[in-house]
Amino acid sequence: MTVKFPAKIGRKLSRISNRFAPGQSPGFLIIGAQKAGTTTLFNLLNEHPQLQGSEIKEIGHFSQDIDLGATQKDYENNFRSMSLRRRIFYEATPAYLARPGVAAKIHDYYPSMKMICLLREPVSRAFSAYNMYARMLSNGYLERIWKAKGRPANNRIDALRNSQGKTASFRNALELELDMMNLPSPPVEPSLIRRGFYLEQLEPFWKQFGEDNILIIGFSDLKKQKGAVLKNITNFLEIESFKNTPELPWHNRGEYPETIKTSDREFLEEIYREPNERLFEKIGKINW
């Protein structure tokens, strides 16, 4: 007799049993960009019978843990399954695209790794990231995350607090980062502006893995043409297509207290004008 468990209990039992399975290598990675739909894509791909996402979506091994002494075995322990059917494992850490040196670190482990990169129009991405950081600063989210990981607090976005302890305005945050960018060794965060310089972030990955191993997807295409995007991804991964397009809610859809000011949008559009032109010369226009 086959015992059927409710879906929630079944998933919990699966996670427990998977801990006894050996760790495996991922078949591909979602490397970014931040606030460009990586969580939604991660969840959509997890609906495919041949794919299995890591239990923790953002592992952060190559952008953080490897520098703290974590090993390849530690990393591959994130990819386990007791299923008899062969699965292709993957994870999604948006910081991989933005952090210097990550491409080489991944290449040291997996020289032929395939990667998927979502790109979002950089002005909208920056404003979305600012609102995410503002929420994190107000609700103590980052402090809880560091505590849960058993590490000392390392709040890289504390610089967004002003002298009164309140979150700086969007424009002030942008100007703060521009000042930081002129320092001899600028801090990695806050990186509202810098995470939108996509070409310079993609180039190390092309150098290490070749252009054919990096699939670039526009944020708006994922939102408006989900079926076509998933078909493109299954072709890229050389697996069977989805029989039906998964119907899942868009994840991490934040509500903004106010819309972006026209002056702030125009300020950023001027900053991104030339970098965007160079990006499009390389990859062509995308629907982002």
Side-chain angles (χ1 to χ4, degrees):
M1 183 178 75
T2 301
V3 179
K4 292 186 177 180
F5 296 98
K8 187 175 182 179
I9 296 176
R11 287 194 295 270
K12 186 173 183 179
L13 290 173
S14 176
R15 287 196 296 269
I16 293 172
S17 65
N18 287 348
R19 291 173 187 169
F20 297 98
Q24 300 186 45
S25 302
F28 68 98
L29 305 175
I30 301 171
I31 60 172
Q34 181 200 54
K35 307 307 295 178
T38 59
T39 302
T40 294
L41 181 59
F42 178 90
N43 292 338
L44 287 169
L45 295 180
N46 224 8
E47 297 295 306
H48 193 287
Q50 292 175 259
L51 304 179
Q52 182 170 324
S54 50
E55 186 173 336
I56 300 172
K57 173 228 169 189
E58 297 185 27
I59 297 175
H61 181 81
F62 298 103
S63 57
Q64 180 173 285
D65 293 351
I66 193 171
D67 297 324
L68 298 174
T71 65
Q72 185 169 355
K73 182 179 179 181
D74 294 329
Y75 179 59
E76 293 180 351
N77 281 340
N78 290 284
F79 308 105
R80 304 171 186 253
S81 176
M82 294 291 287
S83 172
L84 296 178
R85 183 169 184 173
R86 184 178 179 275
R87 302 291 182 89
I88 299 173
F89 293 95
Y90 66 97
E91 60 128 327
T93 300
Y96 290 167
L97 178 65
R99 294 285 184 265
V102 165
K105 293 173 185 175
I106 296 174
H107 189 269
D108 286 344
Y109 281 15
Y110 313 113
S112 58
M113 179 63 70
K114 288 188 173 184
M115 285 165 240
I116 298 172
C117 183
L118 289 153
L119 297 183
R120 182 177 182 179
E121 187 277 311
V123 176
S124 299
R125 194 222 65 81
F127 190 62
S128 178
Y130 166 78
N131 280 278
M132 176 185 70
Y133 289 153
R135 288 193 300 273
M136 287 178 172
L137 288 171
S138 66
N139 63 22
Y141 173 80
L142 288 178
E143 287 80 2
R144 294 196 301 274
I145 289 296
W146 287 110
K147 184 176 181 181
K149 290 186 175 183
R151 296 176 188 159
N154 184 13
N155 193 342
R156 291 170 169 170
I157 62 171
D158 262 336
L160 293 180
R161 287 191 173 108
N162 61 25
S163 57
Q164 288 78 41
K166 296 181 179 180
T167 304
S169 69
F170 183 50
R171 184 57 170 265
N172 286 343
L174 297 177
E175 292 172 345
L176 170 69
E177 184 180 354
L178 287 172
D179 289 341
M180 288 181 171
M181 289 164 62
N182 291 322
L183 296 174
S185 298
V188 296
E189 295 289 357
S191 55
L192 302 174
I193 297 172
R194 287 170 289 174
R195 284 185 187 246
F197 296 142
Y198 298 131
L199 180 62
E200 64 186 47
Q201 295 169 34
L202 283 164
E203 285 175 335
F205 289 91
W206 288 328
K207 180 180 179 181
Q208 295 287 348
F209 301 96
E211 295 178 26
D212 290 342
N213 276 345
I214 316 293
L215 177 64
I216 297 173
I217 297 170
F219 173 76
S220 291
D221 275 340
L222 179 62
K223 293 185 73 173
K224 299 175 182 177
Q225 302 183 53
K226 182 169 57 178
V229 166
L230 293 177
K231 176 64 175 175
N232 195 12
I233 290 173
T234 55
N235 288 342
F236 174 68
L237 299 176
E238 300 180 283
I239 59 175
E240 63 188 44
S241 300
F242 281 87
K243 291 182 179 179
N244 298 293
T245 301
E247 295 299 329
L248 296 177
W250 191 267
H251 202 81
N252 290 340
R253 187 183 299 228
E255 296 294 330
Y256 304 156
E258 58 184 26
T259 58
I260 186 172
K261 294 178 180 178
T262 301
S263 58
D264 293 342
R265 174 172 288 282
E266 292 174 347
F267 177 72
L268 277 176
E269 284 176 344
E270 187 57 35
I271 288 175
Y272 286 125
R273 189 179 311 282
E274 183 180 341
N276 285 350
E277 288 175 356
R278 290 190 286 109
L279 175 69
F280 294 149
E281 287 175 4
K282 178 68 175 179
I283 68 172
K285 285 287 184 75
I286 61 172
N287 186 20
W288 63 8

